[in-house]
């Protein structure tokens, strides 16, 4: 509710008129007619332009009308006319809170508390806005993680392994870039839809592959429905890799799609160490190196967020058997 200092009217007819307009404005404010209240406060201000309480009341009315810039201007005027009155800072804080400028709002409320340390209302606002500041920081942190996807920093060890296996710097670089791009695209898809499509991405040979006949992506959404479909899919993928002269392959599949094999179940060497997290798998296949990751997901502020990829023992948790014929590295 709008509040104003009492006893501001003088004995003059102008003072009585201003007080009458203010009182009428307060009545309309209490009734929820903020537009009429603001109009009456404006008339009163014309009669008494140095009355800080009138600007404070009109700021409150403008705030309810969501005329935030006007409300902020009136709050600032209230402070300039009476810098030691906590209500001006309180009005300013409320407007800044509505603008979602929580850091500035907190500063305004803290200033109000300095002039009225016993105010329970101001203390409640400080507690509330402090939490909003924390929530905003957390939301920004989550959004940064969702937007700034960098898989390279998680794959340094793999880069060294590829170099040891292939020797050829160009071949190592191509496979590494292929994996990074595939994983980052999967993370972006998960952040947008909470899902990834089950597919195998092939790194085809630019010179040898017949690109008119062989596409770089194969859908495998039915592959994990049963042992039968799984076996058929594996045989197809192996032949596709050979016929297309592919250099590497990267399988991406959501955990929720996999009925067989449920590699997160079992004990001993197959014991799953990553809880009940939802997420997706990424399996890299090359003639010389095989790797498997699980990318867990959590719900942060109502939105999916991929966590760091977890390296799995491919011998215990492989989604499909070896696609390429094994090629031992030369010594």
């Amino acid at each position: 509710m709008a509040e104003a200092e009492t006893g501001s009217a003088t004995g003059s007819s102008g003072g009585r008129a201003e007080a009458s307009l203010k009182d009428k404005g307060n009545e309309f404010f209490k009734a929820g007619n903020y537009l009429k209240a603001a109009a009456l406060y404006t008339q009163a201000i014309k009669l008494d332009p140095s009355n800080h309480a009138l600007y404070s009341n009109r700021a409150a009315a403008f705030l309810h009308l969501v005329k935030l810039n006007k409300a902020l201007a009136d709050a600032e005027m209230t402070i300039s006319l009476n810098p030691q009155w906590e209500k001006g800072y309180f009005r300013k804080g409320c407007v800044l809170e509505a603008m979602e400028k929580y850091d500035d709002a907190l500063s305004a409320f803290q200033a109000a508390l300095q002039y009225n340390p016993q105010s329970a209302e101001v203390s409640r606002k400080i507690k509330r806005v402090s939490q909003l500041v924390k929530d905003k920081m957390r939301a920004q942190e989550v959004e940064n993680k969702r937007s700034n996807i960098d898989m390279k920093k998680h794959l340094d060890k793999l880069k060294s392994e590829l170099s040891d296996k292939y020797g050829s710097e160009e071949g190592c670089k191509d496979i590494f870039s292929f994996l990074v791009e595939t994983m980052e695209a999967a993370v972006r898809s998960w952040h947008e839809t909470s899902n990834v499509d089950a597919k195998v991405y092939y790194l085809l040979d630019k010179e040898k592959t017949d690109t008119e006949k062989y596409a770089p992506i194969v859908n495998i959404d039915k592959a994990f429905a049963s042992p039968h479909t799984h076996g058929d899919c594996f045989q197809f993928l192996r032949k596709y890799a050979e016929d297309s002269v592919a250099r590497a392959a990267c399988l991406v599949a959501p955990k929720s799609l996999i009925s067989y094999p449920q590699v997160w179940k079992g004990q001993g060497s197959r014991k799953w160490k990553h809880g009940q997290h939802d997420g997706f798998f990424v399996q890299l296949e090359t003639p010389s190196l095989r790797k498997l990751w699980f990318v867990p997901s959590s719900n942060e502020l109502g939105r999916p967020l991929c966590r760091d990829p977890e390296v799995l023992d491919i011998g215990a948790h492989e989604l499909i058997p070896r696609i390429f014929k094994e090629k031992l590295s030369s010594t």
Side-chain angles (χ1 to χ4, degrees):
M1 165 184 153
E3 296 178 6
E5 288 183 303
T6 59
S8 60
T10 66
S12 66
S13 60
R16 288 193 299 272
E18 170 268 318
S20 177
L21 289 168
K22 180 189 68 175
D23 291 342
K24 289 179 181 178
N26 289 346
E27 290 176 8
F28 278 106
F29 189 98
K30 291 177 184 178
N33 191 336
Y34 305 114
L35 187 62
K36 184 64 174 178
L40 289 165
Y41 294 141
T42 299
Q43 293 179 44
I45 287 170
K46 290 178 180 179
L47 298 176
D48 188 2
S50 62
N51 188 325
H52 61 276
L54 292 173
Y55 288 98
S56 173
N57 287 9
R58 191 171 68 172
F62 281 146
L63 177 59
H64 279 282
L65 293 168
V66 199
K67 295 180 180 294
L68 300 183
N69 288 330
K70 290 184 176 182
L72 183 59
D74 276 357
E76 295 281 12
M77 179 61 75
T78 303
I79 293 170
S80 67
L81 291 172
N82 191 344
Q84 296 185 332
W85 192 45
E86 98 277 354
K87 186 62 73 173
Y89 301 97
F90 182 80
R91 295 287 187 229
K92 182 178 179 180
C94 290
V95 177
L96 291 169
E97 179 187 358
M99 291 177 165
E100 298 185 2
K101 298 180 179 180
Y102 301 128
D103 290 314
D104 293 337
L106 185 58
S107 296
F109 288 131
Q110 288 170 338
L113 195 65
Q114 288 180 355
Y115 292 107
N116 187 1
Q118 306 304 317
S119 174
E121 186 179 28
V122 174
S123 296
R124 285 194 298 269
K125 277 290 189 180
I126 288 175
K127 183 178 180 180
R128 168 182 162 76
V129 174
S130 295
Q131 185 60 50
L132 289 172
V133 169
K134 292 179 183 178
D135 291 346
K136 186 177 181 179
M137 289 177 63
R138 178 58 182 156
Q140 187 61 56
E141 179 185 345
V142 169
E143 188 55 38
N144 288 341
K145 288 182 179 179
R146 285 170 53 85
S147 302
N148 302 322
I149 302 167
D150 183 8
M151 286 291 123
K152 290 181 182 178
K153 64 183 180 182
H154 301 295
L155 301 172
D156 284 341
K157 185 177 179 181
L158 174 71
K159 200 170 188 179
S160 300
E161 291 182 66
L162 284 170
S163 181
D164 292 341
K165 293 287 184 181
Y166 282 87
S168 167
E169 183 179 343
E170 192 62 32
C172 168
K173 182 179 178 182
D174 287 347
I175 293 173
F176 184 76
S177 298
F178 164 68
L179 174 63
V180 169
E181 289 171 8
T182 302
M183 290 183 78
E184 289 184 351
V187 170
R188 282 192 291 271
S189 174
W190 192 273
H191 284 168
E192 292 172 4
T193 66
S194 298
N195 191 34
V196 292
D197 293 328
K199 294 180 179 180
V200 174
Y201 300 83
Y202 285 94
L203 178 61
L204 303 177
D205 191 298
K206 296 178 181 177
E207 297 179 357
K208 299 178 181 178
T209 300
D210 181 355
T211 54
E212 294 292 325
K213 186 176 181 180
Y214 296 101
I217 302 174
V218 175
N219 292 319
I220 56 168
D221 55 318
K222 306 297 184 184
F224 305 104
S226 69
H228 175 72
T229 57
H230 184 262
D232 286 349
C233 180
F234 156 64
Q235 295 296 336
F236 174 82
L237 294 174
R238 172 174 276 189
K239 188 173 189 309
Y240 196 92
E242 183 177 354
D243 293 347
S244 66
V245 201
R247 297 166 56 197
C250 194
L251 179 150
V252 177
K255 180 183 175 187
S256 61
L257 181 72
I258 301 174
S259 296
Y260 174 87
Q262 293 190 336
V263 299
W264 56 93
K265 294 184 177 180
Q267 298 297 319
S269 62
R270 283 178 54 84
K271 186 173 182 181
W272 184 254
K273 301 177 182 178
H274 308 289
Q276 300 300 314
H277 283 292
D278 196 6
F280 61 91
F281 294 91
V282 178
Q283 183 169 323
L284 174 67
E285 292 282 321
T286 77
S288 302
L289 187 67
R290 304 177 73 220
K291 287 289 182 180
L292 178 63
W293 296 266
F294 177 64
V295 182
S297 172
S298 60
N299 190 294
E300 297 289 341
L301 304 178
R303 307 183 74 186
L305 175 65
C306 289
R307 300 297 184 178
D308 294 345
E310 305 278 359
V311 179
L312 302 179
D313 179 356
I314 195 166
H317 299 287
E318 68 178 9
L319 297 185
I320 54 172
R322 180 184 294 277
I323 290 180
F324 294 92
K325 293 179 180 179
E326 186 172 9
K327 178 181 177 182
L328 300 176
S329 58
S330 58
T331 57

